[in-house]
Amino acid sequence: MRCGIYCIAAWGVKSVIPALLDAGLKVIDLSGDYRYDNVEVYEKWYKEKHSSPELLKESVYGLCELHRDKIRKSRLIGNPGCYTTCSILAAAPLLAAGVAETKNIIVDAKSGVTGAGRGLGLAYHFCECTENTKAYKVATHRHTSEIEQELSNIAGEEIMISFTPHLIPQKRGILSTVYINLKKQGMTAGDVQEIYENYYKGEFFVRVKAQGELPETKHVAGSNFVDIGVVLDERLNRVVAVSALDNIVKGAAGQAIQNMNIMFGLDEKTGLDFPGFYL
Amino acid sequence: MRCGIYCIAAWGVKSVIPALLDAGLKVIDLSGDYRYDNVEVYEKWYKEKHSSPELLKESVYGLCELHRDKIRKSRLIGNPGCYTTCSILAAAPLLAAGVAETKNIIVDAKSGVTGAGRGLGLAYHFCECTENTKAYKVATHRHTSEIEQELSNIAGEEIMISFTPHLIPQKRGILSTVYINLKKQGMTAGDVQEIYENYYKGEFFVRVKAQGELPETKHVAGSNFVDIGVVLDERLNRVVAVSALDNIVKGAAGQAIQNMNIMFGLDEKTGLDFPGFYL
Amino acid sequence: MRCGIYCIAAWGVKSVIPALLDAGLKVIDLSGDYRYDNVEVYEKWYKEKHSSPELLKESVYGLCELHRDKIRKSRLIGNPGCYTTCSILAAAPLLAAGVAETKNIIVDAKSGVTGAGRGLGLAYHFCECTENTKAYKVATHRHTSEIEQELSNIAGEEIMISFTPHLIPQKRGILSTVYINLKKQGMTAGDVQEIYENYYKGEFFVRVKAQGELPETKHVAGSNFVDIGVVLDERLNRVVAVSALDNIVKGAAGQAIQNMNIMFGLDEKTGLDFPGFYL
Amino acid sequence: MRCGIYCIAAWGVKSVIPALLDAGLKVIDLSGDYRYDNVEVYEKWYKEKHSSPELLKESVYGLCELHRDKIRKSRLIGNPGCYTTCSILAAAPLLAAGVAETKNIIVDAKSGVTGAGRGLGLAYHFCECTENTKAYKVATHRHTSEIEQELSNIAGEEIMISFTPHLIPQKRGILSTVYINLKKQGMTAGDVQEIYENYYKGEFFVRVKAQGELPETKHVAGSNFVDIGVVLDERLNRVVAVSALDNIVKGAAGQAIQNMNIMFGLDEKTGLDFPGFYL
């Protein structure tokens, strides 16, 4: 298991990945390169040629709760980031249950500044961020395509969504608010709650909130948990699902470790079983 | 014009308002009591009996840009708050132009803590708010009903919306992200931009951002301005309109002063013509 | 060892403490009541009668690094709070070494809002705290008396200090900047550094920064560590010692656990051996 | 008066200043170059050769409240920054009154991030600043020399001080806490208060707080005011003076405008007579 220590590749060193695989190592890539089933989708949203399209046949989208079995057998993981992990997990149960309309799905996401990484830019200067909220890359953010790919796979039909990222004045935390119309009439809040609880039964890192409760980013800060709360708006027969995670744990490095644990047959919680910090 | 100084009533002193009117004064009320056309809507969402339902026939919804002419002639204004002002102004132009679908309108709003007023509560303690974002009162916030009333009046048909308030860790600022499907096919981003620019032509306090630009709460902090930016998502034939204002200026006291200026025949900008503070 | 679980008394339940002791339990009290050698000092600064002055003869000031041996044998600990722990540890080495002037010691301390506890008050409302810094209780804060007691005991002579608390807009973290004139001439920065390193040699929870480095509150947030950095201002023959800790760990509950570990013969780091969170 | 619009030079364009003066213009320089009486002090603290030492004979230190008469007649102003303005004004009255010891003056200053300007650096990234406080450049910050120059001039003898800058997680605001021993015995808090009130009598931009009240940075944010509160610690015969200003108004550009007003014979408050924003 000597490969363990080499297994998490950094962003932007894409050329090294085929060589690592050739050397018999397993790779968990935190860039977007190996998150796609279809190279054309990647090239459309990233506006560049993929460097190793042949590897997409074997790479697995590393959202552990959705693809655990494939991850276990794979040597190349495209580790998803914070926006996509948070948003996909909030929508998946309704689509898997076949009760959701696939049109008019809206994902309105709010991200703390760690979501932007550590690079310098005036937009991330303390004085520019504090006491400010903004939307950005409306209708054009490339993570839209990842969310669409995964939700389409779950639903078994092509789904296109609105995804709107926002920058909020805090370090850690993403909150996704997802709007999904029900195609089935007459469902109760209890029915919806049950769909979520069943879908995530046995998942240690996904905590479905009790009915009437909603996640907050501080509840997951410093932890690998994703909290999800669901509300049925009966007037509109629409579900509002709210999910929260910590950008730099379940939204990046934490999930990479979770993937590593799965790939190497370790207890999935190894190194990740801590509660975070409420304050 | 001696009444000017008495004209802004505080929240919660509803019983004094009929007496003030009887004394010949003009009243701008910052509570929700006089914002409704229909007492039943009020009583449903506020879950209490209205104290003076007969006054609703003459009271005017004090969103200056929509009801200036009625405000001028009225003696009783129901001054709208921050969520509603911000959200209604973002959606109004498309509905007025008759190009919007009236179903599937989503208003996802993010509010700074001044939106909650100055009352004490653990939820507003510094340590609970800072570094945290949450949604609350999902599908049940009573301001939903105000937004629906005003958008329905503009559209000429009944509109029901999703309205999701969020609390974000900053003092001043509301950002509303509004999703509206177009019923007309083939519109361009330029067409949408033009609808907004025309609708707000001549409005000093509403600034439609240039195409490709989006509002930020810091751009309006400390001012009476509302900034609105619009994006057409051509893949979905859906408009995402983003609006921003300062909760305690255009979202409350500033708008009350603007209403007073209109009611008393003053220049509408009197006392409000300042740029705010970017930092 | 059944008493372990009862051993941490809350603030303000002073009357129960003698009863707990009578029942054979050990008590770690987080109030100020049992932090004093001399009841008169307590009564002067707290402006009230002490409820059990006879217990002061046996109670021990629970600053673990200073009084470990007495803590081990005691059944009643007056657990110090954040300001005092942070400030005393920054000044202690120079006084213990006998190189400090005992006059003109200044402690200028900056505290995050967790230092104020969870009680409600307008001063701790998010909108009042964020983007604000202030000094308060200048020359009158009662923790002055605790710092003076401990520093006087170390120096072997009566010391009076200036202690100025400030409230800063963050949750966790206290930074104390302590100014101490040297009575000995000709000392170098290296000499001063050595005094600190020797004094805290073997102390797991006190980290003396390398020469030229200074603590930051984020370096200790979420941990039981105290970081201390020292600078010799050769122009003035004055040491500036800067110390940082997390109010609600080493500054309160963490230290209480550390005291419990000592009292019950456990490894002192039990339950406290975590690194905190930099971000 | 055509020169008015050219009169504020930016940081770092020092070579242009002699040329501007030669062209008959008046210059207010925001760099440190023209703040010194003595070129040696400049060269010692800035560790570089001064480009135009001959101009120091005529340049005036632009702290308006101290040097108004000289500013009026000068064509070259070295406009002081935030730390120095705040700190000097807090200490000046006691030194001018001749009641202060000139040894053991400590200036402990806390600055918001606007004090660092708009340049990029990891230290000013939102995630590095928020929820963090630190001291920096302890005993070596070059503004120490400016404070010493001005206080020495007031006292008529050479003064050396400790100056410790701290970075706190807010945008605007400096708070200086200044410790000064009294050489005269028996003074009362009222005596000290009177010294400050008399010294700043008639000064519009310096507000001495009533006895028992202390400044907060939010009280001056967005304004050109400096607030000062003083406490006499009778136990120690030591004054603690606390002052607050907004870094980018009275601490920089606001003071530059105030200087311009003085130089051009305008009302000193022109363009500066606004209250700021409490929230």
Side-chain angles (χ1 to χ4, degrees), chain A residues 125-189:
Chain A
H125 192 293
F126 178 83
C127 298
E128 298 290 321
C129 287
T130 189
E131 297 287 315
N132 191 42
T133 290
K134 64 175 178 181
Y136 65 99
K137 293 190 184 167
V138 175
T140 60
H141 196 286
R142 57 202 194 183
H143 289 167
T144 310
S145 59
E146 276 182 47
I147 302 172
E148 290 180 346
Q149 167 184 287
E150 293 300 304
L151 297 188
S152 298
N153 286 343
I154 293 169
E157 62 177 284
E158 199 191 341
I159 291 179
M160 290 199 298
I161 62 156
S162 283
F163 169 64
T164 310
H166 297 77
L167 189 67
I168 50 175
Q170 63 187 72
K171 281 180 295 191
R172 294 175 182 236
I174 281 210
L175 193 93
S176 287
T177 310
V178 182
Y179 301 86
I180 304 177
N181 291 331
L182 295 180
K183 65 181 177 201
K184 201 175 150 194
Q185 295 297 318
M187 290 181 69
T188 66

Side-chain angles (χ1 to χ4, degrees), chain A residues 54-127:
Chain A
E54 70 288 353
L55 287 173
L56 293 182
K57 269 167 287 175
E58 60 168 300
S59 67
V60 174
Y61 192 75
L63 213 171
C64 313
E65 286 74 15
L66 296 186
H67 300 298
R68 185 176 286 115
D69 289 341
K70 286 188 180 167
I71 291 165
R72 186 172 292 128
K73 299 169 200 150
S74 179
R75 58 174 192 158
L76 177 54
I77 303 297
N79 194 75
C82 46
Y83 274 135
T84 47
T85 299
C86 196
S87 305
I88 293 165
L89 292 177
L94 289 181
L95 291 163
V99 300
E101 273 186 26
T102 53
K103 284 196 174 157
N104 290 308
I105 296 177
I106 308 277
V107 177
D108 189 284
K110 300 89 183 162
S111 175
V113 186
T114 55
R118 247 192 147 202
L120 296 183
L122 188 56
Y124 309 122
H125 192 293
F126 178 83
C127 298

Side-chain angles (χ1 to χ4, degrees), chain D residues 49-67:
Chain D
K49 220 67 201 145
H50 196 291
S51 59
S52 310
E54 70 288 354
L55 287 173
L56 292 182
K57 269 168 288 176
E58 59 168 304
S59 67
V60 174
Y61 192 75
L63 213 171
C64 313
E65 286 73 14
L66 296 186
H67 300 299

Side-chain angles (χ1 to χ4, degrees), chain B:
Chain B
M1 222 155 67
R2 58 180 263 280
C3 32
I5 51 169
Y6 303 107
C7 78
I8 298 173
W11 279 272
V13 293
K14 44 185 73 170
S15 60
V16 81
I17 288 174
L20 292 171
L21 294 173
D22 286 348
L25 299 176
K26 296 179 176 184
V27 173
I28 298 164
D29 180 36
L30 273 81
S31 84
D33 290 9
Y34 297 103
R35 296 177 187 158
Y36 287 88
D37 300 339
N38 183 333
V39 71
E40 282 158 32
V41 176
Y42 174 89
E43 294 182 347
K44 178 181 160 200
W45 288 85
Y46 280 70
K47 297 189 172 69
E48 58 179 286
K49 217 71 200 143
H50 196 291
S51 59
S52 310
E54 70 288 354
L55 287 173
L56 293 182
K57 270 167 286 174
E58 59 169 303
S59 67
V60 174
Y61 192 75
L63 213 170
C64 312
E65 285 73 15
L66 296 186
H67 299 299
R68 185 175 287 113
D69 289 341
K70 284 188 182 168
I71 292 164
R72 186 171 292 127
K73 297 171 201 148
S74 179
R75 59 175 191 156
L76 176 55
I77 303 298
N79 195 76
C82 46
Y83 274 135
T84 46
T85 298
C86 195
S87 304
I88 293 165
L89 292 176
L94 289 181
L95 291 163
V99 301
E101 273 188 25
T102 52
K103 284 197 174 157
N104 290 307
I105 296 177
I106 308 277
V107 177
D108 189 284
K110 299 89 182 162
S111 174
V113 186
T114 54
R118 248 191 146 202
L120 296 184
L122 188 57
Y124 309 122
H125 191 292
F126 178 83
C127 298
E128 298 290 321
C129 287
T130 189
E131 295 288 317
N132 191 43
T133 291
K134 65 175 178 181
Y136 64 99
K137 294 190 183 168
V138 175
T140 60
H141 195 287
R142 58 200 194 186
H143 289 167
T144 310
S145 59
E146 276 182 47
I147 302 171
E148 290 180 346
Q149 167 184 289
E150 293 301 305
L151 297 188
S152 297
N153 285 343
I154 293 169
E157 61 177 285
E158 199 191 340
I159 292 179
M160 289 197 299
I161 62 157
S162 283
F163 169 64
T164 310
H166 297 77
L167 190 66
I168 49 174
Q170 64 186 70
K171 282 179 296 190
R172 295 175 181 234
I174 281 211
L175 193 93
S176 288
T177 310
V178 182
Y179 301 86
I180 304 177
N181 292 330
L182 293 180
K183 66 181 176 200
K184 199 175 153 194
Q185 296 297 319
M187 289 181 69
T188 65
D191 296 336
V192 172
Q193 179 74 19
E194 205 183 332
I195 286 170
Y196 277 80
E197 290 181 358
N198 284 341
Y199 191 80
Y200 291 117
K201 183 167 282 179
E203 289 296 346
F204 182 78
F205 290 117
V206 181
R207 303 187 296 199
V208 177
K209 306 287 288 183
Q211 214 175 317
E213 291 183 10
L214 289 167
E216 308 187 17
T217 62
K218 72 183 170 202
H219 297 164
V220 294
S223 84
N224 199 51
F225 291 111
V226 183
D227 282 4
I228 303 177
V230 280
V231 175
L232 173 61
D233 188 338
E234 293 186 349
R235 296 191 321 142
L236 303 162
N237 204 34
R238 183 178 297 153
V239 169
V240 185
V242 183
S243 54
L245 57 74
D246 183 329
N247 317 55
I248 55 179
V249 191
K250 182 64 176 173
Q255 182 144 266
I257 292 168
Q258 193 181 349
N259 274 314
M260 182 178 74
N261 291 338
I262 295 171
M263 292 169 91
F264 288 94
L266 303 171
D267 181 330
E268 194 168 324
K269 302 192 295 290
T270 305
L272 296 170
D273 187 7
F274 41 83
F277 36 94
Y278 175 85
L279 284 184

